Amino acid sequence: MAKLGVNVDHIATVRQARMGIEPDPVHAAVLAELAGADGITVHLREDRRHIQDRDLKILRETIKTRLNLEMAATKEMVQIALNIKPDCCTIVPEKREELTTEGGLDVKTNSAFLAKCVNALQDANIKVSLFIDPDLDAVKKSHMLGVDAVEFNTARFSEAKTEKLEDEELVNIINAVKMGSKLNLEIIAGHGLNYINIQKIRSIKEIVEYNIGHSIVSRALYVGFERAVREMKSLIG
Ligand code: PXP
């Protein structure tokens, strides 16, 4: 059975809208684990727009499953990872102006620095995964870097406007998954996956883990909003 890593970044996004203390991604992580999540994922961005250093520290101490830290390949982030020691680091590309991670990592440019980051993390017994597009060349380059896993960016699949485009992208993912699997890379997938499109992609048996955030946080609002309003209505009397 494939594993589910729950990304709690957007709990922190709501908190940061008021710069307050709630909702707390640490509380959300506890609930996610109680509901069966196999791991908790957070992206500590350079601009700290959602997850804060404090969240990462407390999550490291409190979560019972596995902590996956999404991070850019920078000296600052590698140092933070070496201090916190998450179970896994997923290296992602990061642009300040983007709304969310756009596209997979460019594993060709700057591969020497990337290799340094990968080695430093692995030397500290941290598993390393690269977030890449489902592209055969990117899979080969990732393998050459000696990483443990690759996470395929499913954005193009998730955002496909027609079933034909979705199926074409699924074929790209399948081909990349097969190659990654042959090269003994652990195969993860994520970005834009939701309660509908997961039903198609889950047929790819080599994918051992999915990282999902936005659709779970969105659904939580729908399934929990009514109760929250009822409780306030009843308090008002
Ligand atoms: N995997 C990676 C590498 C990501 O950057 C993100 C978004 O933070 C996700 C998975 C989760 O994507 P979503 O929030 O669309 O489910």
Side-chain angles (χ1 to χ4, degrees), residues 5 7 41-42 68-71 88-93 101 103-105 107 127-135 138-139 142 147-155 173 176-177 180 185-193 201 207-213:
N7 181 315
T41 293
V42 288
N68 173 34
L69 171 63
E70 287 179 9
M71 53 175 252
C88 177
C89 282
T90 301
I91 302 181
V92 300
T101 311
L105 196 65
V107 268
K127 181 173 127 185
V128 180
S129 173
L130 300 184
F131 181 63
I132 58 171
D133 287 323
D135 166 86
V139 179
S142 303
V147 294
D148 306 274
V150 285
E151 176 174 337
F152 286 115
N153 176 13
T154 50
I173 295 172
V177 162
L185 290 165
E186 190 179 312
I187 311 293
I188 303 166
H191 215 290
L193 296 176
I201 201 166
I207 300 178
V208 295
E209 185 166 343
Y210 295 95
N211 272 319
I212 306 180

Side-chain angles (χ1 to χ4, degrees), residues 22-207:
E22 66 169 12
D24 193 326
V26 174
H27 297 169
V30 172
L31 293 176
E33 288 189 327
L34 285 172
D38 300 288
I40 301 297
T41 293
V42 288
H43 184 175
L44 185 70
R45 295 186 76 102
E46 206 186 1
D47 62 10
R48 307 297 197 269
R49 71 171 73 152
H50 39 55
I51 294 295
Q52 306 297 305
D53 297 70
R54 161 269 183 206
D55 301 330
L56 191 59
K57 260 188 226 145
I58 301 178
L59 283 169
R60 173 67 296 178
E61 286 172 17
T62 53
I63 71 168
K64 306 277 185 287
T65 55
R66 287 171 303 129
L67 178 63
N68 173 34
L69 171 63
E70 287 179 9
M71 53 175 252
T74 64
K75 273 189 184 166
E76 182 205 8
M77 286 301 153
V78 170
Q79 198 48 57
I80 289 173
L82 293 178
N83 291 340
I84 295 285
K85 289 210 174 18
D87 300 281
C88 177
C89 282
T90 301
I91 302 181
V92 300
E94 195 175 302
K95 294 190 212 102
R96 253 173 202 269
E97 63 279 12
E98 70 191 357
L99 288 178
T100 179
T101 311
E102 287 170 3
L105 196 65
D106 177 357
V107 268
K108 286 169 225 164
T109 323
N110 227 351
S111 66
F113 183 67
L114 206 49
K116 265 192 181 177
C117 297
V118 171
N119 292 340
L121 295 167
Q122 287 180 331
D123 284 350
N125 284 325
I126 300 168
K127 181 173 127 185
V128 180
S129 173
L130 300 184
F131 181 63
I132 58 171
D133 287 323
D135 166 86
L136 300 185
D137 214 35
V139 179
K140 283 185 220 158
K141 293 258 174 351
S142 303
H143 176 248
M144 280 161 63
L145 285 167
V147 294
D148 306 274
V150 285
E151 176 174 337
F152 286 115
N153 176 13
T154 50
R156 279 204 306 257
F157 165 77
S158 309
E159 288 159 17
K161 294 275 182 284
T162 63
E163 191 147 5
K164 184 171 174 281
L165 287 174
E166 190 185 67
D167 287 344
E168 279 171 15
E169 192 50 30
L170 193 67
V171 170
N172 286 338
I173 295 172
I174 291 171
N175 290 336
V177 162
K178 299 256 178 253
M179 167 166 284
S181 189
K182 246 193 214 159
L183 294 171
N184 279 328
L185 290 165
E186 190 179 312
I187 311 293
I188 303 166
H191 215 290
L193 296 176
N194 59 38
Y195 293 78
I196 300 189
N197 60 27
I198 193 71
Q199 296 179 40
K200 216 174 221 183
I201 201 166
R202 72 177 181 195
S203 61
I204 309 175
K205 298 295 173 227
E206 291 89 344
I207 300 178

Side-chain angles (χ1 to χ4, degrees), residues 1-14:
M1 212 161 87
K3 293 193 159 76
L4 171 65
V6 175
N7 181 315
V8 295
D9 290 353
H10 294 307
I11 304 293
T13 302
V14 177

